Amino acid sequence: MSLPGPWLGGSPAAPLIPPISPHRHLLLGGQRGHVAALDWQTKSLLCEINVMETVTDITWLHTETMFAVAQRRWLYVYDNQGVELNCLKRFNGVLRMEFLPYHFLLATASETGFLQYLDISVGKEVATICTRGGRLGVMGQNPANAIVHLGHSNGTVTLWSPNVKEPLVRMLCHQGGVRAVAVDSSGTYMATSGLDRKLRVYDLRAYQPLQSLVLPVGAGHLSFSQRGLLAAACGDVVQLGLPCALTPPVSQPYLSHTLPRAAHSLRFCPFEDVLGVGHGSGFTSLLVPGAGQANFDALENNPFRSQKQRQEWEVKALLEKIPSELITLDPGQLGRVDAITMEQKHQERVERLGFDPQAKPAFQPRRKLKGRSSAGSLLRRKKKVANEEQRVRPSAPEREPKAAPRAQRPALDRFKK
């Protein structure tokens, strides 16, 4: 399935960027300013506009009613009718974008080396980080923990969180510049490609390389499917079945498709065995058996939801939005029990206050009248309370008597039950 020429707009050589929403809507952006949104199954057009500027990247937001377009100067937000909703002039020179659905954050990487986060639910800029890594043209996200992966020209890949101004992890992946980064849906494996024409798969749990493959032409774009299938765009050739952690090492892909012109982006369609590829002559859909997840959670992502269901889901998602302060490298860290023992906490509290607030005060007998508060009477009452506390205190368990040796037992004991 490929779209005809009238949908493209601009020059036939304009590269297209095909992000696909979690449902059935496709968003196309041309280099010369053409933007189109449509239902990729029924081919019904939602909107088609020309922004009259260079489009560097484009992505859906939390629903198919809004999308963001990174234009030559600033970042714009449009609705599904093509109406401009907002112009964000603080986000200038944006080259790549990634949307974090559970946090309602739009992460952008600029040509000046800045990584910025925008909370679209309130329209507030959450963080601006200077990566000091030069032009940021390679970007990806980890769907499991919402960590942003950036590729740099010195061959390193850095992992970022909006709460820390320094990279959480810095990995040396290639001898040349990094061209593409992709992370699988489980957040366990990361695939990278560089100018050294190598494709490598890393285990993010140990940050160690698992597999490596040298390609005839370096891969410029990578994408993981929902079931862990890796696709790479090498010039005008799309290769499928490349080495992945779930498959044994291979020397060559099992499926290749030649495009009319060089590929500029690719993305797997969720819950479908379809790979969308944007290239210099338009957009092409490739059938990839076994790529999509057959079963879906209707409460999480329902491809067949109605408008009423979408509105209810949007309200629920806003109420359950995860704050950006909780984005960490290890998402399970927030649910762990504090390992400090109660004795250590109590000792720290005693040192901080100067006294033990849980200590039981010594028993002081109440003064009685008519000569009953003599020294002897007070002493007897104190001894009585001390004896009662000692009686209540649990005593050590009594030891059982040891059995007599077999040689000393009477002979008739063997018949006793």
Side-chain angles (χ1 to χ4, degrees):
M1 175 182 66
S2 62
L3 298 182
W7 295 100
L8 306 180
S11 171
L16 297 181
I17 304 158
I20 301 176
S21 71
H23 313 288
R24 48 188 294 177
H25 296 87
L26 175 64
L27 191 60
L28 300 175
Q31 188 179 21
R32 296 192 177 181
H34 174 263
V35 177
L38 66 151
D39 189 332
W40 72 272
Q41 291 184 352
T42 62
K43 309 302 183 299
S44 60
L45 183 65
L46 298 180
C47 69
E48 185 177 15
I49 59 176
N50 197 322
V51 299
M52 305 301 293
E53 273 187 328
T54 301
V55 175
T56 58
D57 200 359
I58 192 169
T59 182
W60 290 106
L61 297 183
H62 59 289
T63 62
E64 61 273 10
T65 59
M66 288 196 302
F67 57 90
V69 180
Q71 298 177 199
R72 182 177 60 87
R73 296 185 61 185
W74 301 313
L75 178 66
Y76 291 82
V77 178
Y78 299 90
D79 65 356
N80 57 354
Q81 302 299 322
V83 179
E84 180 183 333
L85 300 179
N86 200 349
C87 174
L88 305 171
K89 296 185 179 181
R90 291 183 58 86
F91 294 75
N92 56 340
V94 176
L95 297 178
R96 292 292 178 264
M97 296 187 297
E98 287 290 340
F99 181 69
L100 311 179
Y102 296 101
H103 305 78
F104 282 77
L105 291 180
L106 180 63
T108 63
S110 65
E111 59 186 5
T112 57
F114 281 88
L115 175 64
Q116 296 174 279
Y117 289 85
L118 173 67
D119 190 343
I120 66 167
S121 61
V122 296
K124 178 182 177 182
E125 186 177 358
V126 174
T128 301
I129 304 173
C130 181
T131 61
R132 298 186 295 274
R135 187 176 186 270
L136 302 178
V138 179
M139 187 179 187
Q141 68 160 311
N142 190 335
N145 53 14
I147 295 295
V148 173
H149 296 229
L150 297 178
H152 303 278
S153 58
N154 57 359
T156 61
V157 175
T158 54
L159 279 62
W160 297 87
S161 170
N163 309 315
V164 185
K165 298 298 182 181
E166 297 294 331
L168 302 177
V169 177
R170 188 184 297 273
M171 302 172 58
L172 180 60
C173 300
H174 296 276
Q175 296 180 354
V178 180
R179 297 188 62 188
V181 173
V183 184
D184 71 330
S185 58
S186 65
T188 307
Y189 306 106
M190 177 185 67
T192 62
S193 64
L195 293 176
D196 53 0
R197 298 186 296 111
K198 289 185 179 180
L199 174 66
R200 292 177 177 174
V201 178
Y202 289 85
D203 188 349
L204 292 178
R205 296 169 295 185
Y207 303 104
Q208 295 293 331
L210 298 177
Q211 298 185 23
S212 179
L213 178 67
V214 179
L215 300 176
V217 180
H221 304 277
L222 299 173
S223 179
F224 274 102
S225 70
Q226 289 181 321
R227 300 191 63 185
L229 184 64
L230 179 61
C234 306
D236 59 348
V237 178
V238 177
Q239 298 183 354
L240 296 152
L242 293 170
C244 184
L246 304 179
T247 60
V250 296
S251 58
Q252 60 183 2
Y254 79 94
L255 180 63
S256 297
H257 180 79
T258 303
L259 302 171
R261 296 198 179 185
H264 293 276
S265 61
L266 70 163
R267 188 77 59 87
F268 278 97
C269 181
F271 310 112
E272 296 285 348
D273 296 340
V274 177
L275 173 65
V277 183
H279 50 83
S281 297
F283 175 77
T284 302
S285 297
L286 305 179
L287 294 179
V288 184
Q293 185 64 251
N295 303 320
F296 61 89
D297 186 1
L299 298 178
E300 183 70 20
N301 287 320
N302 186 5
F304 309 102
R305 67 186 182 186
S306 61
Q307 182 179 0
K308 184 65 175 178
Q309 291 174 336
R310 179 190 61 78
Q311 294 173 354
E312 293 178 355
W313 172 88
E314 186 175 1
V315 173
K316 183 179 179 181
L318 287 170
L319 293 175
E320 297 178 352
K321 184 185 74 169
I322 303 176
S324 60
E325 293 80 8
L326 301 183
I327 297 179
T328 57
L329 195 61
D330 184 10
Q333 182 179 1
L334 300 175
R336 294 176 184 171
V337 179
D338 195 353
I340 301 178
T341 61
M342 294 299 296
E343 291 78 6
Q344 293 175 344
K345 290 185 177 181
H346 179 67
Q347 187 66 25
E348 293 176 358
R349 187 179 181 186
V350 171
E351 295 177 356
R352 184 171 62 254
L353 298 178
F355 65 94
D356 190 358
Q358 298 180 359
K360 186 177 180 180
F363 175 72
Q364 293 293 337
R366 188 176 61 180
R367 180 175 178 80
K368 296 183 179 181
L369 302 178
K370 297 183 180 178
R372 287 182 293 177
S373 293
S374 60
S377 178
L378 296 177
L379 183 59
R380 284 194 301 270
R381 278 189 280 172
K382 287 184 180 181
K383 287 184 178 181
K384 182 179 179 181
V385 172
N387 293 335
E388 289 180 356
E389 292 180 354
Q390 188 176 6
R391 247 191 329 268
V392 173
R393 193 176 304 162
S395 58
E398 298 180 358
R399 295 182 180 180
E400 297 181 357
K402 295 183 179 181
R406 185 178 297 274
Q408 299 178 2
R409 294 179 182 177
L412 298 179
D413 287 350
R414 68 182 68 181
F415 302 103
K416 292 181 180 181
K417 293 183 179 180

